Amino acid sequence: MGQKKDLTGSEKSKIVRYLAEGCSSLKIAKLLKRDHRTIKRFIQNSQQGRKKRVEKPRRKITAHELRKVKRAAAKMPLATSLAIFQSCNITGVPKSTRCAILRDMAKVRKAERRPPLNKTHKLKRQDWAKKYLKTDFSKVLWTYEMRVSLDGPDGWARGWIGKGQRAPVPLRRLQGGGGVLVWAGIIKGELVGPFRVEDGVKLNSQSYCKFLEDTFFKQWYRKKSASFKKNMIFMQDNAPSHASKYSTAWLARKGLKEEKLMTWPPCSPDLNPIENLWSIIKCEIYKEGKQYTSLNSVWEAVVAAARNVDGEQIKTLTESMDGRLLSVLAKKGGYIGR
């Protein structure tokens, strides 16, 4: 009977069961065909239990250091407790102590998803709602670009925010990094696109209009009837490439001007129903923590997810506009739930 180094998990379970049945260590060794010393060592170690944790003396924080921490927390919104203390050159403080100190002067928060609305924003949102309250939204084409990255939706983790401070709004990048920029539109129960912006192209006024010409106008709009074109209203947000004089004049030459080009209030992603469609698509392509190794693979995932979106889902989104306008007015221009 040779001596083995370690007991397997199965053998350890059997030892516990045999001990419960009243077997001696010698009998257990024979039953398992293991060395008696190995069995005795396991039993002795199990009976000793865990060693009592020795509490180390905690590092004391001076009043001067506390003031430095408070200033650092104000200058570094959403930073970790370790980063805040390291910026103050305060070392040797365990995480539990760092967090206990920060709780008296800050709190853990996530970055705000939407920028705060000021009085002017709210008034413009109310004016917009009143202007389009009687609009037939089945004739509106809602458009928006979405950036899809290889690793999932962009966002910031939780971090410490000083009391009385607002969490910063993350930059919503549409170009750059490991991702693909995608444009799409919805009207009534129909999805227009999605169309992929060429990699490396930065959407300024000229490239945005060229993109619309090569995709939206040539591949979709030109196939529509004259009566459809006459009644369709084109919606886009106030991105610089959309709202510039160049883009506005170019769209006017395409017949999208005055009442056919919807004005858009500032800071109003909650009013655009296509934002909800992008949420549906993102949930599908990033489900179960899915990540991608190439731009082509994430683009193919977007196309596949878009094809699976039912027309009734799109219709539900576009038909929600009447309720959104009423909600904006009820909230006096404030954000609405999406």
Side-chain angles (χ1 to χ4, degrees):
M1 182 168 58
Q3 181 179 351
K4 297 182 180 179
K5 290 185 178 180
D6 298 314
L7 292 167
T8 64
S10 175
E11 288 174 328
K12 291 176 182 179
S13 299
K14 290 179 180 178
I15 292 172
V16 174
R17 188 172 71 250
Y18 289 146
L19 287 173
E21 294 173 356
C23 296
S24 64
S25 60
L26 183 59
K27 184 177 181 181
I28 294 173
K30 290 180 180 179
L31 289 170
L32 298 180
K33 297 181 180 180
R34 296 297 300 260
D35 187 80
H36 185 212
R37 291 169 295 179
T38 302
I39 303 298
K40 286 180 67 176
R41 192 181 306 115
F42 171 75
I43 295 173
Q44 289 172 355
N45 291 341
S46 300
Q47 290 174 344
Q48 286 176 359
R50 291 184 178 182
K51 293 182 179 180
K52 188 176 181 181
R53 183 178 176 180
V54 178
E55 290 289 339
K56 296 180 180 179
R58 291 188 174 182
R59 186 190 187 291
K60 292 184 178 180
I61 305 295
T62 65
H64 175 66
E65 288 175 328
L66 280 176
R67 289 193 293 271
K68 289 174 66 177
V69 169
K70 188 173 183 178
R71 287 195 296 268
K75 292 179 180 179
M76 303 168 61
L78 297 178
T80 63
S81 63
L82 180 61
I84 292 172
F85 274 70
Q86 284 180 340
S87 70
C88 303
N89 295 321
I90 303 174
T91 58
V93 182
K95 183 179 180 180
S96 58
T97 304
R98 296 196 304 264
C99 292
I101 292 169
L102 285 169
R103 284 191 198 102
D104 293 332
M105 62 184 72
K107 54 186 175 181
V108 175
R109 287 188 60 189
K110 280 189 175 182
E112 293 187 4
R113 295 179 60 189
R114 301 180 291 199
L117 295 173
N118 58 35
K119 186 177 180 180
T120 302
H121 294 154
K122 292 179 180 180
L123 288 174
K124 288 185 176 181
R125 282 164 61 89
Q126 291 181 79
D127 291 341
W128 178 86
K130 292 172 184 177
K131 178 179 179 179
Y132 290 102
L133 198 56
K134 296 181 180 180
T135 301
D136 181 359
F137 290 111
S138 66
K139 294 180 173 60
V140 178
L141 175 69
W142 307 93
T143 72
Y144 190 68
E145 297 104 344
M146 174 184 75
R147 182 181 179 277
V148 287
S149 65
L150 301 179
D151 301 321
D154 297 328
W156 293 355
R158 291 175 180 268
W160 288 95
I161 294 291
K163 288 183 178 179
Q165 285 187 291
R166 293 189 66 92
V169 179
L171 176 64
R172 197 168 188 178
R173 297 181 300 156
L174 291 179
Q175 290 98 20
V180 176
L181 185 61
V182 185
W183 183 97
I186 55 174
I187 181 168
K188 202 172 182 179
E190 182 179 359
L191 172 64
V192 182
F195 300 118
R196 177 178 178 177
V197 178
E198 185 179 347
D199 297 339
V201 173
K202 183 177 181 179
L203 282 188
N204 54 31
S205 300
Q206 290 79 11
S207 59
Y208 172 66
C209 294
K210 184 179 184 303
F211 170 78
L212 289 181
E213 177 66 34
D214 295 339
T215 56
F216 168 68
F217 282 102
K218 286 185 177 180
Q219 299 182 39
W220 186 82
Y221 189 72
R222 68 186 298 181
K223 300 176 184 178
K224 296 299 180 179
S225 65
S227 61
F228 176 88
K229 294 176 182 177
K230 181 180 178 181
N231 295 317
M232 191 198 81
I233 301 172
F234 187 82
M235 173 271 157
Q236 59 181 2
D237 65 14
N238 295 320
S241 59
H242 300 173
S244 68
K245 291 181 179 179
Y246 180 93
S247 298
T248 303
W250 185 86
L251 288 171
R253 292 195 296 271
K254 291 290 184 178
L256 301 178
K257 57 184 177 179
E258 298 173 352
E259 72 278 357
K260 288 178 60 61
L261 183 62
M262 178 177 281
T263 57
W264 193 248
C267 304
S268 299
D270 56 323
L271 300 180
N272 192 352
I274 198 173
E275 291 268 8
N276 300 85
L277 176 69
W278 285 133
S279 297
I280 293 171
I281 291 175
K282 281 191 173 183
C283 286
E284 177 62 26
I285 66 176
Y286 295 124
K287 65 181 180 182
E288 298 177 356
K290 174 73 174 176
Q291 292 180 305
Y292 298 88
T293 56
S294 69
L295 299 181
N296 286 335
S297 63
V298 73
W299 163 243
E300 290 167 2
V302 169
V303 173
R307 287 175 181 166
N308 290 332
V309 177
D310 186 74
E312 287 300 316
Q313 285 180 286
I314 298 174
K315 191 176 180 181
T316 299
L317 294 177
T318 55
E319 289 180 347
S320 69
M321 287 309 302
D322 291 320
R324 296 186 193 221
L325 266 63
L326 292 173
S327 296
V328 170
L329 294 174
K331 294 196 173 186
K332 298 182 179 180
Y335 280 125
I336 63 172
R338 287 192 287 167

